[in-house]
Amino acid sequence: KRVVQSSDLLNDTVSQLLSQAVLAHRFQSEAFAAVSVDEVTKEVCREVAVAALQQQVEVAYLGQESITIDGDAFALKQMIRNILENAIKYSPRGSAVTVSVWYEAGRVFCRVSDQGVGIPSHWVPRVFEFYRRFDSANMAGGVGLGLAFVKTVVDKHHGVIECQSEEGRGTTFTLHFP
């Protein structure tokens, strides 16, 4: 069992490192273009729906009209996928993960909220650092690359990401872009 878990962890780590390398290359060589944030978000929600249902977690998309920003569609999709997969992974059976996209006051917002284990308050400011993760009996495996990857994408798109969390009640990530 431990060999399988270690193998899965190694596979996830290599995948995230490869995604980071692809992202770095894309940011150096690809020009930003119009990206429909709502369509990318809905696509990711559909792609993770089966895995979420297997864990008995519902994914609910709450979006408004078509909303676009200048960006890299691949990077934005990977960013949303990472946040959403984490939300599903750390949510208890029978709970819901909500994903919202909206436009307000000249900014595009995307919010992912779960009802999971939450993050201790002293860890919240450090969740976006590479190789940082806190240990908990309720935590699944990981090496601390995912949210650092997310922060890189947000920064490259001149956005802001905020994390609000309460242990035992869940976590909410809110992203906003010009």
Side-chain angles (χ1 to χ4, degrees):
K1 183 178 176 180
R2 282 201 279 159
V3 169
V4 170
Q5 289 173 335
S6 294
S7 178
D8 288 345
L9 180 60
L10 181 59
N11 183 48
D12 290 346
T13 302
V14 170
S15 293
Q16 286 185 349
L17 289 171
L18 287 173
S19 290
Q20 184 71 19
V22 168
L23 180 67
H25 173 72
R26 290 182 67 87
F27 283 147
Q28 290 177 353
S29 63
E30 301 284 327
F32 280 5
V35 177
S36 177
V37 176
D38 58 300
E39 286 301 319
V40 167
T41 304
K42 284 188 266 189
E43 184 178 336
V44 172
C45 287
R46 284 189 295 269
E47 290 172 358
V48 302
V50 171
L53 290 174
Q54 288 173 339
Q55 291 185 229
Q56 298 177 2
V57 174
E58 179 185 345
V59 175
Y61 174 80
L62 311 169
Q64 292 182 348
E65 70 281 349
S66 179
I67 302 171
T68 60
I69 65 170
D70 283 336
D72 183 288
F74 172 82
L76 291 168
K77 184 175 179 180
Q78 296 303 314
M79 174 195 70
I80 294 166
R81 175 185 298 283
N82 195 298
I83 295 171
L84 192 50
E85 286 178 345
N86 277 351
I88 293 165
K89 185 185 336 183
Y90 298 119
S91 291
R93 294 183 181 280
S95 67
V97 173
T98 57
V99 183
S100 308
V101 175
W102 72 96
Y103 179 82
E104 180 182 306
R107 298 193 67 81
V108 174
F109 291 84
C110 180
R111 177 175 291 146
V112 177
S113 296
D114 67 48
Q115 301 166 341
V117 297
I119 301 168
S121 59
H122 66 278
W123 270 99
V124 170
R126 302 177 72 190
V127 296
F128 301 112
E129 296 175 11
F130 280 97
Y131 304 106
R132 288 284 185 198
R133 61 186 313 275
F134 70 94
D135 292 321
S136 166
N138 299 324
M139 296 289 290
V143 294
L145 293 173
L147 291 176
F149 170 81
V150 166
K151 179 78 165 104
T152 299
V153 175
V154 170
D155 290 346
K156 290 292 184 181
H157 287 83
H158 307 290
V160 175
I161 185 167
E162 299 166 351
C163 175
Q164 295 176 312
S165 190
E166 186 176 340
E167 282 186 274
R169 297 189 58 98
T171 302
T172 296
F173 287 96
T174 305
L175 305 96
H176 42 102
F177 302 97

